[in-house]
Amino acid sequence: QVQLVESGGGLVKPGGSLRLSCAASGFTFSDHYMTWIRQAPGKGLEWVSYIGRSGSTVYYIDSVKGRFTISRDNAKNSLYLQMSSLRAEDTAVYFCARDRGVYSSSWYGVDYWGQGTLVTVSS
Amino acid sequence: DIQMTQSPSSLSSSVGDRVTITCQASQDISNSLNWYQQKPGKAPKLLIYDASNLETGVPSRFSGGGSGTDFTFTISSLQPEDIATYYCQQYDDLPITFGQGTRLEIK
């Protein structure tokens, strides 16, 4: 069965950096776009970033452009999110998620989500 | 950005009731809409994709409809395990955007 397991969250000071990882299993990782979606405490869902199947195409929400970098290692079935210049407003649970499209060149929304990892930005 | 306006923001209904949630897009998104269920402390779960298609394994009491800018999500007979927050999501264009959520409670 599809499994997505995030790690790397924690407490970081404003301006600091953190790298999130997501280990995928139960499906052909390289066949899917992958994405990060976050949820601030008690708030709704916010899409953060998408990465294409080969890793050559990436997309970000404006508020993280230039600060976050999404990447993937298809040989290791892993997704990453390098976060730098972190701000208080980046505090959230970060979900790794699989796009629903199979072997596609576009995105179709998420069908599987990890359990999430909490990132807290505070001094 | 495409804005998704979801209503109501909260809803209290009785077991067995028919429940309907609406989602309006700020521009035509065809049928590029998904519906998710999120229970407290858990990850969201896909229920409906492409506006009206039931995800495999999801009970048939859940349904979706609409196209263009106006969409509906319906639970035909509310069950106690349906207590959750429901979100619509458009994927017609980036940034992907979600409705603000509908918190569903049992009366």
Side-chain angles (χ1 to χ4, degrees):
Chain A
Q1 71 280 22
V2 174
Q3 281 200 306
L4 299 166
V5 180
E6 303 95 335
S7 60
L11 175 63
V12 61
K13 289 181 169 52
S17 299
L18 212 55
R19 189 194 196 207
L20 305 183
S21 299
C22 172
S25 61
F27 66 102
T28 304
F29 184 68
S30 59
D31 280 355
H32 292 263
Y33 273 56
M34 296 295 295
T35 185
W36 289 97
I37 293 168
R38 66 186 179 185
Q39 186 169 37
K43 301 297 184 183
L45 299 164
E46 181 180 51
W47 170 77
V48 175
S49 181
Y50 248 119
I51 187 167
R53 293 184 291 113
S54 68
S56 60
T57 51
V58 295
Y59 308 91
Y60 302 96
I61 194 170
D62 283 350
S63 59
V64 309
K65 280 180 185 174
R67 300 188 300 121
F68 289 12
T69 302
I70 190 172
S71 61
R72 66 192 295 164
D73 185 333
N74 287 343
K76 294 183 178 179
N77 291 340
S78 293
L79 177 71
Y80 306 101
L81 187 67
Q82 178 68 48
M83 304 184 294
S84 60
S85 302
L86 283 161
R87 306 166 180 167
E89 54 265 34
D90 295 318
T91 294
V93 173
Y94 284 74
F95 295 101
C96 161
R98 186 185 87 165
D99 189 84
R100 192 166 54 81
V102 183
Y103 212 70
S104 68
S105 57
S106 186
W107 48 85
Y108 294 91
V110 169
D111 58 357
Y112 286 94
W113 305 63
Q115 83 288 353
T117 187
L118 177 62
V119 172
T120 303
V121 184
S122 175
S123 54
Chain B
D1 298 3
I2 299 173
Q3 307 301 317
M4 304 301 294
T5 303
Q6 191 174 333
S7 62
S9 55
S10 64
L11 183 56
S12 182
S13 292
S14 300
V15 172
D17 280 358
R18 183 181 183 87
V19 170
T20 298
I21 298 168
T22 64
C23 191
Q24 185 172 59
S26 59
Q27 64 188 66
D28 188 340
I29 60 169
S30 185
N31 67 336
S32 303
L33 185 105
N34 299 328
W35 289 96
Y36 298 91
Q37 175 193 65
Q38 186 179 32
K39 296 185 177 180
K42 300 293 187 182
K45 174 186 176 183
L46 176 65
L47 300 180
I48 302 289
Y49 64 93
D50 295 345
S52 60
N53 294 298
L54 193 67
E55 175 71 348
T56 302
V58 173
S60 59
R61 64 180 180 274
F62 296 100
S63 65
S67 66
T69 60
D70 295 302
F71 302 87
T72 58
F73 172 81
T74 299
I75 306 173
S76 61
S77 177
L78 185 65
Q79 300 302 304
E81 60 267 31
D82 299 336
I83 299 313
T85 300
Y86 294 83
Y87 294 93
C88 61
Q89 175 211 45
Q90 69 79 21
Y91 58 88
D92 184 70
D93 197 9
L94 296 182
I96 302 290
T97 47
F98 293 86
Q100 76 275 24
T102 295
R103 187 172 181 175
L104 182 54
E105 298 174 340
I106 294 282
K107 263 185 197 171

